[in-house]
Amino acid sequence: MAAEAHSLGLLSPVILLAAAVIAVPIFKRLGLGSVLGYLIAGLIIGPFGFAFIHDPASILHIAELGIVMYLFIIGMEMQPSHLWNMRRDIFGLGTLQITFCTIGLTAIGLLYGFAWQIAFIGAAGFVLTSTAIVMQILGDRGDLSQPNGQKIVAILLFEDLLIVPLLAIVAFMSPNQVVESTPDRLKDIGIALVAIAGLIAAGCWLLNPLFKLLAAAKAREVMTAAALLVVLGAALLMQVSGLSMAMGAFLAGVLLSQSTFRHQIEADIEPFRGILLGLFFLSVGMSLNLSVVQNNWLLILSSVIALMFTKAV
């Protein structure tokens, strides 16, 4: 009985890996990209497909770390001076994109008959692009280092910075809102700023000496553990302070971009990043409820077209 239970415990990982191994090469060969392959594979094996996997949410919580690690690797490819040179794209293009898309999508929501509060909140949510999907597509196409790819990355960074203000606006617009005093708001902002400053300080004065000390021990597995600790620790710090986990990982990567151990750290993180990011896309595909799509296909189709048109313009 124990052996049978153990084998059943291995069934889900085997199904997930098999789905990825089969679907992704096929979709890449067809020129459709790996992301769509993962999503379709997840849809097939998920609870709304053949139901091989019944609880995609449990996988999603762990798989989200793939996004965190991906942003860490992206950050390691951007030195602070390069990030400073991107400031106009981050705050300029980012502001324009968020502002005009939010206005346009809010107007579309009003045309559908939604109340202005619902239309605005929906627009503010849809205007935020999936960092994981966009980064993966850019990586597949080799566009991350291209000028247009860099502009897209800049906009994504600005969107991550907007998560906290948008959540505050949503809370303010809630009919059951809990009024937060000005000192409490200033406290939240202060905590976020202190967290960012602490992360920057640790990156400037602690991380490189730490990796030098660990390298002297000549234990590769310890270096791998330290790299994971840096990524997850930075993500946790930002999450606790009310910011995005991905933003914390990205900042940690930027701070280590000039480290002499950069390439080794990147090599240690890459396998975890690839597997977890694939699991993330699989779990997203498994979460897609086809019955909801079928019952609201006209609304979804028209909304997707309107969303694509607004963001493209």
Side-chain angles (χ1 to χ4, degrees):
M1 293 295 293
E4 183 179 353
H6 183 66
S7 63
L8 289 176
L10 290 175
L11 182 60
S12 294
V14 169
I15 292 173
L16 290 169
L17 293 173
V21 168
I22 294 172
V24 173
I26 293 175
F27 276 78
K28 293 201 73 171
R29 177 64 67 89
L30 295 174
L32 299 175
S34 60
V35 173
L36 188 58
Y38 281 120
L39 294 176
I40 296 299
L43 177 62
I44 292 173
I45 66 175
F48 304 105
F50 288 102
F52 294 122
I53 307 293
H54 298 281
D55 187 17
S58 61
I59 301 172
L60 184 60
H61 290 311
I62 299 175
E64 284 177 344
L65 295 178
I67 304 174
V68 172
M69 294 181 184
Y70 197 13
L71 266 293
F72 176 76
I73 292 176
I74 296 298
M76 292 191 70
E77 297 175 357
M78 293 188 179
Q79 296 184 358
S81 58
H82 178 62
L83 194 61
W84 176 253
N85 292 333
M86 292 175 60
R87 65 189 184 279
R88 291 184 179 178
D89 288 337
I90 294 174
F91 295 101
L93 287 178
T95 301
L96 288 174
Q97 195 259 359
I98 292 294
T99 301
F100 286 107
C101 286
T102 301
I103 293 173
L105 293 176
T106 300
I108 292 172
L110 293 174
L111 291 176
Y112 276 108
F114 294 112
W116 72 268
Q117 296 94 333
I118 297 175
F120 175 79
I121 292 174
F126 282 116
V127 79
L128 300 178
T129 310
S130 171
T131 302
I133 293 178
V134 173
M135 288 292 195
Q136 183 71 22
I137 293 175
L138 290 176
D140 289 344
R141 295 178 177 177
D143 290 338
L144 272 175
S145 59
Q146 301 300 317
N148 288 337
Q150 292 291 290
K151 290 180 180 179
I152 293 174
V153 171
I155 293 174
L156 291 174
L157 291 176
F158 185 74
E159 290 178 355
D160 280 339
L161 290 173
L162 280 185
I163 290 177
V164 174
L166 287 177
L167 290 176
I169 293 173
V170 170
F172 178 78
M173 296 174 64
S174 171
N176 300 319
Q177 61 174 297
V178 177
V179 179
E180 189 177 18
S181 63
T182 300
D184 289 337
R185 293 177 182 175
L186 294 176
K187 179 182 177 182
D188 293 340
I189 295 173
I191 290 174
L193 293 176
V194 169
I196 293 174
L199 181 58
I200 293 175
C204 292
W205 293 298
L206 294 180
L207 293 184
N208 215 37
L210 172 64
F211 281 106
K212 285 183 179 179
L213 180 64
L214 296 176
K218 297 181 179 180
R220 181 64 183 268
E221 67 278 6
V222 176
M223 289 288 289
T224 302
L228 290 172
L229 176 62
V230 169
V231 178
L232 300 181
L236 177 62
L237 178 63
M238 292 296 104
Q239 184 184 44
V240 170
S241 63
L243 298 174
S244 164
M245 289 195 301
M247 177 60 66
F250 178 81
L251 286 176
V254 171
L255 294 171
L256 283 171
S257 62
Q258 295 177 309
S259 171
T260 54
F261 302 98
R262 167 191 165 187
H263 297 292
Q264 182 176 348
I265 295 171
E266 188 173 347
D268 290 337
I269 292 294
E270 180 63 29
F272 297 97
R273 191 278 306 176
I275 293 175
L276 289 174
L277 197 58
L279 284 177
F280 172 78
F281 293 131
L282 282 171
S283 58
V284 171
M286 287 187 284
S287 302
L288 181 60
N289 190 335
L290 290 181
S291 61
V292 174
V293 176
Q294 182 180 0
N295 295 333
N296 301 275
W297 69 270
L298 184 59
L299 174 63
I300 293 174
L301 179 61
S302 58
S303 299
V304 168
I305 294 174
L307 174 64
M308 293 176 63
F309 176 78
T310 303
K311 299 203 76 170
V313 173

